[in-house]
Amino acid sequence: MTVTERTLTGTGVGRGIVVGDVRRMPDPLPEPAHTPSTIGPDAELARAHAALQATAHDLRDRGARAGGIAQEVLNALALMADDPMLLDDVKSRVDRGITAERSVFEAFASFAQVLESSGGYMAERAGDLGDVANRVIAHILGVSAPGVPESDTPFILVARDLAPADTALLDFDIVRALVTTDGGPTSHTAILAREKGLPAIVGAKDAEVLVDGDVILVDAAEGQLVVNPSAARIDAARAESEARRVSRENASGPGQMADGHKVALLANVGSPKSVDAAVAALAEGVGLFRTEFLFLDAETAPTIETQQAEYAAVFERFPGQKVVVRVLDAGADKPLPFLTDQGEANPALGRRGIRALFAHEDILRDQLTAIANAARKSKADVWVMAPMISTADETAEFVGLCHELGLTKAGAMVETPSSAILADHILAEADFVSIGTNDLTQYTVAADRLLGTVANLQDPWNPAVLRLIREVGKAGHATGKPVGVCGEAAADPMLAVVLIGLGMTSLSMSPIALADVRAELSRFTLGEARELAERALSARNAVDAKRAVSTALSITH
Ligand code: PEP
Ligand code: MG
């Protein structure tokens, strides 16, 4: 019997090519029905209690096996299942004649509501509660728990999407690639895959039809998966994958293209751990130091001394290299209690980034003073930039303040369409600009970057985004000032080539992405990058832009 090949598409994350067997993650359980109990409150409570305890035990057990951060995450989830107030709530519901599964569902939902209304970090934990509730309900019903299937042999995981409790536990020796039917390029799953260098296809709706044991080939660069790939296709894919591995290993040293054109390859850092990773990945410096990550838990503004110590610890790791410090980007996805206005209806469009800092100029002055003090005592070449700039006036005000406080290189992030369109005026005021493609994409397509239901729009290959980047590239060329990219787009090797073709002078990314981007850039001349950029710019949508570039690559290279 001949089995025919079939190709399904989605959004690729990373560049890897993997062939393997499918293992499906069980779909989320349906909401338990409102049917009345037939066994009485005591028996229902006993079922619920046993399932809560078993779930907490199971989570702790998995945590102990995983260790590290995964163990912390899973222990926190176990505490939710153990919570005595939750059990009281379940009891009050079964006493009203409701089944154990429905009572557990309702009690967790009301717990989640309380967390959501507390805002900030607590609100983000509300999503984890749904996952714990599902595990408890699966125990009660005696069905397989949602989660990554256990296996001793490698497989390709196919799921709707992954919950945080699942991603914390992924064993990358066993799970070789990920395919999700939901989600987009900035979903939690895609970010994890990118960080770990795991090939993934997200938002592949037609992958619903895949079943355990199907053999598929995942080609992340193409955003394609081939069901029942032929032997010839598998051979070709393996050869391609091997060629990429060799070129990655051979690409070392500073970033440059095939014709010698230099491109500074920098790292995005936030935590001390990411600084270690940046140094290990031979970053040429830091293109985005997300300072707000250091203070996410702080209730009050950190003192100059506290900040100075934190910044100095990062600067000392990059002697003689550039470190671009971003002043606090508070608001929307990164609320800081001491800077963020509560209760805005649309925080992503509210007082975030530089707008919040101008509203609290004392905090901005303190931060710039701390950066300047730390810079003076270090050997790093310290630059500073402001997030969420939308006008030349804001730029002038920020740059003026930086210069006044002794920071000589001050720039603006281009994250709004207005600052991209007016890049010439922004660059007349700033010493440099850096494009935050995550926000620039969200604001260009008017789709919240945190919202799964519109995640398919969050694609920096969108020619609308690329045309805005072209404006910035032109302004950089005209003024001779540096223009970089520090959003996730820079971590996509093929898109990185396009960005250079659009006139970018540096790229900054998660440290894990540096080797692949370095290798990919070394395969093209600047002229070729410009031609590829033209193809992407004239495409009708993001998928066509990516395909136009990858087709051109497969013909010419
Ligand atoms: C961006 O928006 O692309 C960016 C780099 O900033 P952040 O992701 O921290 O908002
Ligand atoms: Mg941003």
Side-chain angles (χ1 to χ4, degrees):
M1 188 184 72
T2 49
V3 265
T4 43
E5 278 192 358
R6 212 151 31 101
T7 302
L8 311 177
T9 56
T11 303
V13 178
R15 300 236 63 195
I17 299 176
V18 172
V19 182
D21 290 346
V22 165
R23 291 293 301 271
R24 281 205 73 107
M25 188 138 115
D27 281 342
L29 297 171
E31 185 178 317
H34 279 280
T35 43
S37 166
T38 53
I39 56 173
D42 289 347
E44 295 289 5
L45 185 61
R47 288 169 79 213
H49 193 202
L52 284 162
Q53 284 189 325
T55 303
H57 180 270
D58 181 40
L59 288 166
R60 288 205 175 89
D61 187 45
R62 293 171 68 194
R65 277 185 278 138
I69 299 219
Q71 184 165 16
E72 283 171 31
V73 171
L74 292 167
N75 283 347
L77 296 183
L79 279 179
M80 294 177 177
D82 268 345
D83 192 311
M85 271 161 56
L86 184 106
L87 185 62
D88 284 349
D89 189 350
V90 170
K91 181 172 183 324
S92 75
R93 289 171 203 272
V94 293
D95 283 347
R96 280 184 267 134
I98 301 174
T99 59
E101 57 273 26
R102 181 74 204 175
S103 299
V104 164
F105 173 80
E106 289 180 4
F108 270 99
S110 101
F111 194 175
Q113 249 176 14
V114 173
L115 287 191
E116 264 159 24
S117 59
S118 338
Y121 178 82
M122 295 309 278
E124 283 172 30
R125 300 281 67 77
D128 300 349
L129 274 180
D131 178 51
V132 181
N134 274 331
R135 287 168 196 276
V136 179
I137 294 167
H139 263 290
I140 296 175
L141 300 178
V143 297
S144 54
V148 180
E150 302 235 334
S151 169
D152 294 330
T153 51
F155 62 87
I156 296 176
L157 181 62
V158 178
R160 271 205 198 165
D161 206 348
L162 297 184
D166 301 317
T167 52
L169 264 189
L170 281 188
D171 176 346
F172 298 102
D173 290 331
I174 298 288
V175 178
R176 307 294 311 285
L178 284 177
V179 175
T180 68
T181 52
D182 292 354
T186 52
S187 62
H188 172 81
T189 311
I191 289 171
L192 171 101
R194 202 173 285 118
E195 242 180 55
K196 302 289 181 192
L198 188 70
I201 313 263
V202 297
K205 295 202 173 31
D206 296 336
E208 285 288 4
V209 299
L210 296 174
V211 294
D212 280 2
D214 278 348
V215 176
I216 61 172
L217 181 152
V218 169
D219 185 339
E222 297 288 330
Q224 281 187 348
L225 58 96
V226 182
V227 192
N228 299 324
S230 65
R233 187 185 289 268
I234 294 176
D235 287 348
R238 292 214 164 115
E240 164 89 20
S241 176
E242 177 59 13
R244 285 208 192 119
R245 191 188 60 75
V246 170
S247 85
R248 193 168 52 220
E249 277 182 14
N250 290 343
S252 58
Q256 66 175 1
M257 308 202 62
D259 55 358
H261 177 75
K262 297 261 184 294
V263 178
L265 294 180
L266 309 163
N268 293 352
V269 304
S271 62
K273 223 166 126 195
S274 60
V275 171
D276 291 343
V279 173
L282 307 178
E284 295 168 54
V286 172
L288 169 62
F289 176 9
R290 288 182 164 108
T291 54
E292 62 284 344
F293 277 26
L294 298 171
F295 306 115
L296 285 177
D297 292 331
E299 288 297 323
T300 52
T303 62
I304 294 180
E305 291 70 29
T306 305
Q307 294 188 62
Q308 192 175 322
E310 295 276 7
Y311 305 147
V314 175
F315 297 167
E316 75 171 22
R317 305 292 301 278
F318 299 95
Q321 292 183 315
K322 178 161 97 176
V323 178
V324 184
V325 186
R326 170 169 79 186
V327 292
L328 297 167
D329 184 18
D333 53 324
K334 318 175 204 72
L336 294 180
F338 55 92
L339 263 178
T340 309
D341 287 354
Q342 298 294 328
E344 287 182 339
N346 292 302
L349 301 180
R351 237 189 208 175
R352 63 165 292 202
I354 196 64
R355 302 171 187 179
L357 287 170
F358 282 152
H360 297 88
E361 200 183 304
D362 49 335
I363 296 182
L364 177 57
R365 280 183 175 273
D366 280 359
Q367 183 173 25
L368 293 175
T369 305
I371 297 168
N373 289 350
R376 230 174 287 117
K377 295 189 178 148
S378 97
K379 294 195 176 68
D381 178 18
V382 176
W383 298 18
V384 58
M385 67 182 179
M388 272 299 283
I389 289 280
S390 24
T391 68
D393 293 328
E394 287 170 347
T395 311
E397 187 174 342
F398 175 71
V399 172
L401 199 54
C402 293
H403 290 176
E404 175 197 322
L405 293 170
L407 290 156
T408 51
K409 283 279 194 187
M413 285 187 79
V414 173
E415 303 191 278
T416 60
S418 65
S419 57
I421 294 165
L422 295 176
D424 51 346
H425 290 290
I426 304 260
L427 265 176
E429 305 293 346
D431 300 309
F432 69 97
V433 295
S434 182
I435 306 178
T437 47
N438 308 334
D439 277 314
L440 183 61
T441 306
Q442 117 162 309
Y443 295 123
T444 302
V445 295
D448 186 338
R449 66 192 260 194
L450 299 179
L451 199 59
T453 49
V454 291
N456 60 324
L457 289 167
Q458 191 74 28
D459 190 338
W461 278 96
N462 185 328
V465 178
L466 300 180
R467 289 183 192 200
L468 288 172
I469 296 174
R470 173 178 57 182
E471 292 308 307
V472 184
K474 278 193 208 156
H477 185 71
T479 54
K481 293 183 177 176
V483 290
V485 169
C486 63
E488 287 290 321
D492 171 341
M494 214 160 62
L495 187 49
V497 177
V498 168
L499 293 173
I500 300 307
L502 292 171
M504 301 299 108
T505 55
S506 67
L507 299 174
S508 189
M509 64 204 76
S510 312
I512 184 100
L514 280 163
D516 275 343
V517 170
R518 187 183 287 124
E520 193 74 351
L521 289 183
S522 70
R523 297 171 66 208
F524 302 95
T525 63
L526 180 58
E528 287 170 333
R530 288 186 176 139
E531 275 170 34
L532 293 170
E534 282 307 320
R535 284 174 194 270
L537 284 168
S538 58
R540 185 169 164 274
N541 59 31
V543 172
D544 286 356
K546 188 168 182 180
R547 194 157 296 144
V549 171
S550 82
T551 308
L553 293 191
S554 55
I555 294 167
T556 55
H557 281 74

